[in-house]
Amino acid sequence: MESRSYVSETEKMLREVSSLGHDISESLNVEMLRENANLNGESFSGKIGKFGSEYAKWYARYYILPEQLMAAVDHNDLYVHDLDQYAVGSTNCIFIPFDKLLSRGFSTGSGSVRPPQSISSAMALVAIIFQCQQNSQYGGVSGSKLDHDLAPYVAKSFAKHFHKGLHYFNESFLTEDQDITLGNLKLSSSHPSSYSFAMQETKTECLQAAESLIHNLNTMSSRAGGQIPFTSINYGTCTSPEGQMIIDSILSTTMNGLGSGETPVFPIQIFKCKRGVNQSPEDPNYVLFLKAIECSTKRLYPNFANLDAPFNLQYYDPTDPNTEFATMGCRTRVLADRHGRNHLSGKGNLSFNTINLVKLGIKHGVVNGSTIPNELGFYRDLHHFLDIALDGLLHRYNIQARQPAKASDFMMREGVWEGGELLAPEESVEECLKHGSLSIGFIGLAECMKAMYGRHHAESDDVYNKALSLIASMRRYCDEKSEEHDLNITLIATPAEGLSGKFTKKDREVFGSISGVTDRDYYTNSFHVPVYHNLPAARKIALEAPFHELCNAGAISYVELDGNVRSNQKAFLRIVQYALSQNISYFSINHPIDRCGTCHYEGIIGDTCPQCGTNEADVPMHRLRRVTGYLTGDYQTRFNAAKQAEVRDRVKHK
């Protein structure tokens, strides 16, 4: 007969699962359903997905997780991201080698696709590749150099239109070895009508193709129909006429908006800034950089990647755009690889765990009534939880590495993850995955400092230096463990969309409401200055910049502006340039974009639309805001309560 304790534990687990199911089916736990702001968790497909997700988490907790890791999660010391994916061994995110897949064609598993012969076909296939890859993993999918990858297909379209022009205008035919490209200006003299016709037709086709891509990535569903692909595109450095046309078309169609003129939420767009390419008036892509500034003032995208930051130049080869720094929209960075693949396309992050710095600060800081913080005890405990976080990553990596190539399907079969196409279906993926990164993250540095020293890192130079030393020590730990395990173990400034309120809620239950620490509904994102702290934009940038080099798995900084920045693009430009000069690696500027539900006026709207007079009490206004590095539709309906509270608390940086 089973022991009473065993039966009791089994009954407890069954009640837990039953309660989860009831909460999901009846939409009783809205916070759970809104963990992912880009997923409509209250839809049928969202609920079905949530059923599977929550059971998978439950199974992983009770049957898969190492005991120490589970205890740390239960005690609010650590968080395991995407726990629902743990048991099956799927991976997080990847930079897709679009150049390779497009040039040779690919198979979706249901049918094969030939290499495209025009830019319109190529951009359509980019959307399909994004969708196929999204179904092979759980995190984001990104193109690190989309302008370079797509430029050859602009050339194909131009050549096709030029040959049509020769027929239309009865101009002399060219020999096969003559260069029919946009950049061959001799053609504009020898065949003016055909060249002009081909140029105009190619521009039109490229713009329509970009529009198709943006619309597809905001409407096509993946993940059992519950969410559109979590996509990012990086561009800005291709200086060929074809690449410039790609950049220009993407920016134009983004500014035009979707079907009713609304701002596209996806793909997350990142403009890559590089001196000598697009940062000075004499640079070939400077006009496109200014257009990116204009687009960001209107649509919040693109964000800006700093290729000139010293730590991003480490592996840079001017002849190879695949060595240019690029990022996932939320911040992931995987440029360096101790196994030699010091480029981006064909690899990504495998998984990450996040440490609750605030709880450590409360335990060892002055908020406990001590006059002197216990730094020795703090660092002892920090190292203990770093070990647990790493052990969890290694445990999960072993599950991921032993998976057969066929489990990753599209990703390995088509060589999206570099080298995967060389594996037999039953062969393990370990040799491929070792090139990815395992990341330890952190949250709430500001509240941790407040608990430890009575002030956060933007309130005291001394505390700021303590904060910088703390993150530097975490980076040293990751570097040392990389050497020890011969894996890419990295430090990430955690993108804390769903996590920001979870840690806080549990800590407040234990420690009570502590001013400046647990008295809000969220902890401050990674190393950021608290959103409620008043300071100038330049000061916030200068304070956060040194942390970027320490967070080699990725980081983002942003400032919050008031007013309609569309009318002050010069100020916007100056802020971006200042952030780049301070070696911020990845940067964006937040500003409110409100949209009237009646007349579709966009700008800053209070309770009443300034254009048509509609009152929000009668017709809801759509209020677009940024969370971490990406947009998530109307923050009032898609954000969880913690992120809504953070948005309300945000002060403007002058």
Side-chain angles (χ1 to χ4, degrees):
M1 184 176 179
E2 292 178 306
S3 68
R4 182 178 297 276
S5 62
Y6 178 83
V7 173
S8 176
E9 186 64 26
T10 302
E11 289 176 348
K12 176 185 173 184
M13 291 162 65
L14 288 173
R15 284 196 299 270
E16 191 176 319
V17 173
S18 176
S19 177
L20 277 174
H22 183 66
D23 287 352
I24 294 168
S25 61
E26 300 299 323
S27 297
L28 298 178
N29 189 338
V30 176
E31 288 302 293
M32 182 205 303
L33 297 176
R34 291 184 182 176
E35 280 185 336
N36 183 342
N38 284 304
L39 171 65
N40 182 4
E42 296 171 73
S43 67
F44 291 137
S45 61
K47 288 181 180 180
I48 287 292
K50 205 62 183 170
F51 265 108
S53 172
E54 291 303 315
Y55 175 73
K57 290 179 186 177
W58 178 88
Y59 178 80
R61 279 174 50 80
Y62 285 106
Y63 294 100
I64 304 296
L65 260 61
E67 190 173 328
Q68 266 197 317
L69 180 60
M70 181 172 171
V73 170
D74 287 345
H75 294 139
N76 215 37
D77 300 303
L78 281 175
Y79 184 77
V80 178
H81 292 266
D82 301 289
L83 180 61
D84 53 344
Q85 303 286 328
Y86 199 119
V88 297
S90 52
T91 55
N92 183 12
C93 57
I94 197 168
F95 290 94
I96 299 174
F98 284 106
D99 51 351
K100 180 171 73 175
L101 270 67
L102 292 174
S103 66
R104 73 182 190 195
F106 59 92
S107 171
T108 64
S110 301
S112 59
V113 177
R114 289 187 295 270
Q117 299 303 310
S118 67
I119 186 57
S120 54
S121 296
M123 283 210 188
L125 294 182
V126 165
I128 291 171
I129 292 168
F130 267 137
Q131 185 182 39
C132 289
Q133 178 56 32
Q134 183 74 91
N135 290 323
S136 297
Q137 56 171 69
Y138 61 83
V141 283
S142 181
S144 65
K145 50 183 178 64
L146 199 66
D147 45 351
H148 292 273
D149 293 342
L150 290 176
Y153 304 97
V154 175
K156 287 179 180 291
S157 285
F158 179 81
K160 182 165 54 177
H161 294 307
F162 187 86
H163 281 110
K164 285 183 182 178
L166 294 177
H167 285 284
Y168 292 160
F169 303 108
N170 199 28
E171 292 183 329
S172 61
F173 286 87
L174 284 74
T175 60
E176 289 186 5
D177 61 345
Q178 287 183 282
D179 183 25
I180 305 176
T181 61
L182 279 73
N184 185 1
L185 298 182
K186 291 181 180 179
L187 291 178
S188 65
S189 300
S190 62
H191 298 74
S193 297
S194 297
Y195 183 89
S196 178
F197 169 79
M199 179 65 76
Q200 188 55 52
E201 289 295 299
T202 305
K203 283 182 179 178
T204 300
E205 183 185 355
C206 195
L207 184 63
Q208 291 176 337
E211 185 176 76
S212 170
L213 175 66
I214 299 296
H215 279 69
N216 277 332
L217 294 182
N218 281 276
T219 55
M220 66 189 334
S221 293
S222 63
R223 294 176 173 173
Q227 183 179 354
I228 54 179
F230 196 101
T231 54
S232 305
I233 56 174
N234 294 256
Y235 54 80
T237 61
C238 187
T239 56
S240 70
E242 293 85 359
Q244 291 172 332
M245 190 177 289
I246 293 290
I247 299 166
D248 186 72
S249 297
I250 290 173
L251 290 170
S252 291
T253 199
T254 302
M255 284 194 279
N256 291 339
L258 298 178
S260 297
E262 62 268 44
T263 295
V265 171
F266 284 110
I268 303 165
Q269 297 181 36
I270 303 105
F271 190 91
K272 299 195 292 186
C273 302
K274 181 78 183 75
R275 287 193 293 268
V277 176
N278 53 36
Q279 289 302 290
S280 298
E282 64 273 16
D283 292 346
N285 285 8
Y286 183 68
V287 171
L288 293 170
F289 172 60
L290 294 182
K291 188 165 184 174
I293 293 291
E294 179 189 5
C295 186
S296 195
T297 66
K298 293 181 177 179
R299 298 298 186 185
L300 286 165
Y301 287 152
N303 305 335
F304 299 91
N306 186 0
L307 274 61
D308 292 310
F311 43 92
N312 289 335
L313 288 173
Q314 186 177 1
Y315 301 103
Y316 174 62
D317 176 357
T319 67
D320 183 3
N322 203 19
T323 64
E324 295 174 350
F325 165 65
T327 181
M328 300 284 172
C330 60
R331 70 196 62 188
T332 303
R333 176 184 186 275
V334 295
L335 183 57
D337 176 11
R338 64 184 296 106
H339 300 291
R341 291 181 184 170
N342 296 307
H343 55 253
L344 284 165
S345 291
K347 62 180 183 179
N349 180 254
L350 300 172
S351 61
F352 65 106
N353 294 334
T354 289
I355 292 177
N356 181 357
L357 292 180
V358 187
K359 185 179 177 184
L360 292 176
I362 295 171
K363 182 178 177 182
H364 297 287
V366 296
V367 293
N368 274 330
S370 172
T371 56
I372 303 175
N374 180 8
E375 292 184 349
L376 185 63
F378 176 91
Y379 277 97
R380 182 190 62 241
D381 281 0
L382 174 63
H383 198 280
H384 172 68
F385 288 115
L386 283 167
D387 283 343
I388 294 176
L390 177 59
D391 287 345
L393 291 173
L394 295 174
H395 177 263
R396 189 170 189 171
Y397 174 73
N398 287 329
I399 296 174
Q400 294 168 325
R402 69 170 181 254
Q403 298 305 312
K406 66 180 182 181
S408 301
D409 195 28
F410 181 80
M411 180 168 73
M412 292 298 170
R413 184 186 69 242
E414 299 303 318
V416 179
W417 195 289
E418 188 173 337
E421 70 275 28
L422 304 176
L423 300 176
E426 300 293 341
E427 196 172 351
S428 81
V429 298
E430 183 172 8
E431 272 302 299
C432 291
L433 293 194
K434 72 178 185 182
H435 297 281
S437 63
L438 300 167
S439 301
I440 297 175
F442 61 94
I443 190 174
L445 178 63
E447 288 81 6
C448 173
M449 293 296 101
K450 192 83 170 180
M452 281 290 287
Y453 304 107
R455 289 178 288 180
H456 61 67
H457 58 307
E459 295 177 313
S460 160
D461 290 344
D462 182 55
V463 173
Y464 178 80
N465 290 329
K466 299 278 190 184
L468 204 57
S469 295
L470 166 57
I471 303 307
S473 74
M474 296 180 72
R475 170 60 186 275
R476 283 194 301 273
Y477 175 90
C478 292
D479 290 347
E480 291 166 2
K481 294 301 178 180
S482 291
E483 291 292 326
E484 180 182 334
H485 296 282
D486 198 25
L487 290 169
N488 298 308
I489 297 166
T490 54
L491 183 67
I492 189 168
T494 294
E497 180 204 334
L499 176 57
S500 62
K502 291 178 179 177
F503 274 162
T504 315
K505 183 179 179 181
K506 288 186 178 181
D507 282 347
R508 189 163 52 235
E509 290 173 357
V510 175
F511 301 108
S513 179
I514 303 170
S515 178
V517 182
T518 61
D519 57 339
R520 286 179 166 84
D521 289 335
Y522 56 90
Y523 286 152
T524 297
N525 202 322
S526 60
F527 56 72
H528 289 177
V529 171
V531 298
Y532 46 82
H533 183 69
N534 274 298
L535 77 174
R539 176 65 174 159
K540 185 177 192 292
I541 289 168
L543 286 171
E544 294 183 3
F547 291 96
H548 280 248
E549 183 172 7
L550 297 173
C551 298
N552 59 335
I556 188 173
S557 286
Y558 47 75
V559 296
E560 197 85 18
L561 298 188
D562 202 356
N564 190 346
V565 298
R566 300 179 185 191
S567 61
N568 196 355
Q569 292 179 22
K570 287 184 178 180
F572 196 99
L573 171 63
R574 287 181 62 195
I575 294 171
V576 172
Q577 290 175 324
Y578 180 73
L580 297 175
S581 75
Q582 295 298 298
N583 290 327
I584 292 274
S585 183
Y586 180 37
F587 183 71
S588 64
I589 295 179
N590 292 344
H591 53 91
I593 296 182
D594 299 331
R595 183 177 175 85
C596 177
T598 299
C599 71
H600 297 165
Y601 166 83
E602 281 193 339
I604 297 176
I605 304 175
D607 295 331
T608 304
C609 174
Q611 180 165 283
C612 71
T614 295
N615 191 285
E616 186 165 29
D618 301 319
V619 178
M621 302 296 170
H622 187 273
R623 303 189 187 276
L624 187 66
R625 302 294 186 269
R626 190 192 312 274
V627 175
T628 60
Y630 58 90
L631 308 181
T632 48
D634 191 333
Y635 85 94
Q636 299 171 112
T637 59
R638 301 300 287 271
F639 287 9
N640 57 47
K643 296 310 291 186
Q644 288 188 37
E646 190 224 79
V647 170
R648 290 193 297 269
D649 286 351
R650 291 177 182 177
V651 298
K652 309 303 179 183
H653 303 114
K654 304 300 182 184

